[in-house]
Amino acid sequence: MNFGMIIIWVAFLFGLFAMVYSYLGFRREDENYRKLSLRLEIACTVLVTAASVMLIYYLYDVAAFFEYVYNHSSLDLSTYYRISAFWAGQEGSLLLWAWAISVMLLVLRYSLRFSKGNVFMVTRILSLGILSVFLMLLVLDNPFAVYYSKAGSIMVSNWNPFVHPYHLTDGQGMNPLLRNPWMAVHPPILFLGYAAFTIPFASAIAGLLLNDNSWRKIANNWMRVSWLFLTAGIGLGGFWAYEVLGWGAWYWSWDPVETSSLIPWITATAYLHTIYGRQGQFRFLAPAMAIFSFILVIFATFVTRSGMWASVHSWQDFNAEGLLIGIFLAGITLMGTSLLAKRYFEEQD
C-alpha cells in the first residue's frame, strides 16, 4: 500500500476541515469548534511532516518506483544531493511550502500574545484556506505517484494507492545544473520566505474585513521574517547563478522568474518602512504592501510552474496544477484589491 499517497489525501482533508471548523467557531462563537479545529490543524501538520520525512527517506534510498524519486535521485548522487532533491521538483517544493505554512501557523497559534481576538481568528481561517490550496495541489500532483505495469506498458498512478509498484533499480538523477552546493540552501530558504508571507497577507485581509488596525501586531514580525528569508534566498541564488551560469554584473541577468521574486521583496521592503511611520499614517499603504507581496509571490509561483515564461527556473507546461494556481491567484487578487478599494474610498470620505 502507498501510505505516502494516502497521507497527502488525509492531510488535505484535515486542513480543509480545520478551516471549516475554525470558521464555524468564529461565526457561532463556539469554543468546541475552535478546539476541534486546532486538533485537526495539529494532525494536519503531523501528517505533512510525516510525508516530508518519508519523501526524504525515499530519495535517500533511491526508491525509484516513485516517479518523483526516479526524476530527481539516483545511486550516483551523494547523500547531500539526494536530500536536496526534496525541493528539486514541483511536488517536493510544494510539500516543503505546505509544511512551512503549517508549522508557522502553529507557531502563531502558540504565540500567546496573538492567539486571541477576532483578527487572529480570521487570520487563522484565511491561512488554513491557503494551506488547503497547497495541499490540494499535492493531491492533484502527488509526490508519491508510483510507476506500475499494465498490459506490458509502464504507467504512473497518481490516485490508486494499491497498485503494485514496478521495480526500478535506479533513477535518472538530478538535473546537472542543480548539482551544486548552493542547491542545499537557496531553494529551502526562498520557500520559507514565500511561506511566511501567508501570515501578513491573511492578517491584512482580516484587518480590512473587521476594520481593525491591530492586524499589524501580527503582521509586522512575520513580514520581517519573510523579508529576511527572501533576502537571503535571493542573495544565495545570486551567488549560484554567478558561479554556474556566468551571469555578469555580480549575478543579475533579468531572468523572468528571478525578477518575479525581486518584486515582492521590494513591496515587503516598502511595508517594513511603514512600521516606523506615525500611528495611522499608512492606513492604506501598509495593508496594500502586505497583500500585494503575497499576491506577487503567488504570481511568481504561477509563472514558474505554468510554463508561461521561458526561464532556467521553469519546470513544466501548463496543466491542471497551473490552472488551479491561476484560479487561486485570480481569487486572492480580486479579494485583496476589492477590500483595498473599499478602504481607500472610505478614507477619501
Side-chain angles (χ1 to χ4, degrees):
M1 183 182 296
N2 191 336
F3 289 104
M5 187 180 291
I6 295 173
I7 286 174
I8 294 294
W9 297 344
V10 177
F12 165 65
L13 292 175
F14 280 0
L16 184 64
F17 282 116
M19 179 193 68
V20 171
Y21 282 115
S22 182
Y23 174 76
L24 292 175
F26 171 72
R27 293 292 297 177
R28 301 180 183 181
E29 299 183 354
D30 190 322
E31 192 62 28
N32 290 326
Y33 281 132
R34 295 172 186 170
K35 290 179 180 178
L36 179 56
S37 173
L38 177 59
R39 293 191 188 103
L40 288 167
E41 180 188 345
I42 293 173
C44 176
T45 303
V46 170
L47 289 174
V48 173
T49 302
S52 301
V53 172
M54 287 177 66
L55 185 58
I56 291 172
Y57 172 75
Y58 289 140
L59 288 163
Y60 169 76
D61 195 48
V62 193
F65 50 85
F66 289 107
E67 182 186 26
Y68 188 81
V69 174
Y70 177 82
N71 289 333
H72 301 289
S73 185
S74 61
L75 294 172
D76 66 322
L77 288 178
S78 66
T79 300
Y80 184 86
Y81 290 118
R82 292 186 198 182
I83 294 174
S84 299
F86 179 57
W87 44 78
Q90 170 160 276
E91 300 92 332
S93 60
L94 286 174
L95 181 56
L96 173 63
W97 197 332
W99 174 82
I101 293 175
S102 64
V103 170
M104 289 174 183
L105 270 175
L106 285 182
V107 171
L108 176 66
R109 174 66 180 81
Y110 287 104
S111 300
L112 297 180
R113 290 176 57 197
F114 308 126
S115 61
K116 297 179 181 179
N118 289 338
V119 170
F120 167 79
M121 287 188 283
V122 175
T123 298
R124 184 168 172 271
I125 293 167
L126 293 169
S127 299
L128 286 169
I130 293 167
L131 174 61
S132 298
V133 170
F134 280 94
L135 292 173
M136 186 185 299
L137 287 168
L138 289 169
V139 168
L140 293 174
D141 198 5
N142 203 301
F144 297 98
V146 66
Y147 289 111
Y148 70 102
S149 178
K150 183 178 181 180
S153 300
I154 308 301
M155 306 180 72
V156 178
S157 172
N158 195 51
W159 299 98
N160 187 353
F162 301 105
V163 296
H164 184 70
Y166 180 80
H167 182 67
L168 292 166
T169 57
D170 197 5
Q172 67 178 11
M174 191 184 294
N175 185 321
L177 282 176
L178 301 181
R179 300 184 188 188
N180 185 281
W182 295 112
M183 179 62 187
V185 289
H186 164 61
I189 288 177
L190 196 68
F191 284 119
L192 288 173
Y194 281 174
F197 276 113
T198 301
I199 295 174
F201 168 80
S203 60
I205 294 292
L208 292 173
L209 286 171
L210 301 172
N211 196 22
D212 187 339
N213 286 324
S214 67
W215 67 272
R216 296 193 66 173
K217 294 179 181 178
I218 300 174
N220 287 354
N221 286 334
W222 282 100
M223 187 61 86
R224 290 185 178 104
V225 171
S226 305
W227 185 91
L228 180 64
F229 277 108
L230 187 58
T231 301
I234 291 174
L236 292 170
F239 284 114
W240 186 357
Y242 182 79
E243 179 180 322
V244 175
L245 300 177
W247 291 351
W250 190 44
Y251 70 90
W252 209 269
S253 188
W254 300 109
D255 174 77
V257 177
E258 184 187 40
T259 304
S260 68
S261 68
L262 172 67
I263 299 173
W265 181 88
I266 294 172
T267 55
T269 303
Y271 177 89
L272 293 179
H273 281 77
T274 70
I275 294 175
Y276 303 101
R278 295 189 303 273
Q279 186 173 2
Q281 184 178 8
F282 299 108
R283 294 183 68 248
F284 175 77
L285 182 62
M289 292 300 97
I291 289 169
F292 281 114
S293 293
F294 183 73
I295 289 173
L296 288 166
V297 163
I298 300 302
F299 175 73
T301 304
F302 176 66
V303 297
T304 302
R305 300 168 192 274
S306 66
M308 178 180 292
W309 289 346
S311 165
V312 296
H313 294 85
S314 296
W315 285 334
Q316 63 182 42
D317 296 326
F318 193 80
N319 59 11
E321 293 76 42
L323 177 61
L324 179 58
I325 296 173
I327 293 171
F328 177 55
L329 174 63
I332 61 174
T333 302
L334 179 62
M335 176 175 61
T337 52
S338 60
L339 287 172
L340 286 169
K342 180 182 177 183
R343 164 62 68 87
Y344 176 80
F345 287 116
E346 285 176 351
E347 290 195 352
Q348 293 303 307
D349 294 338

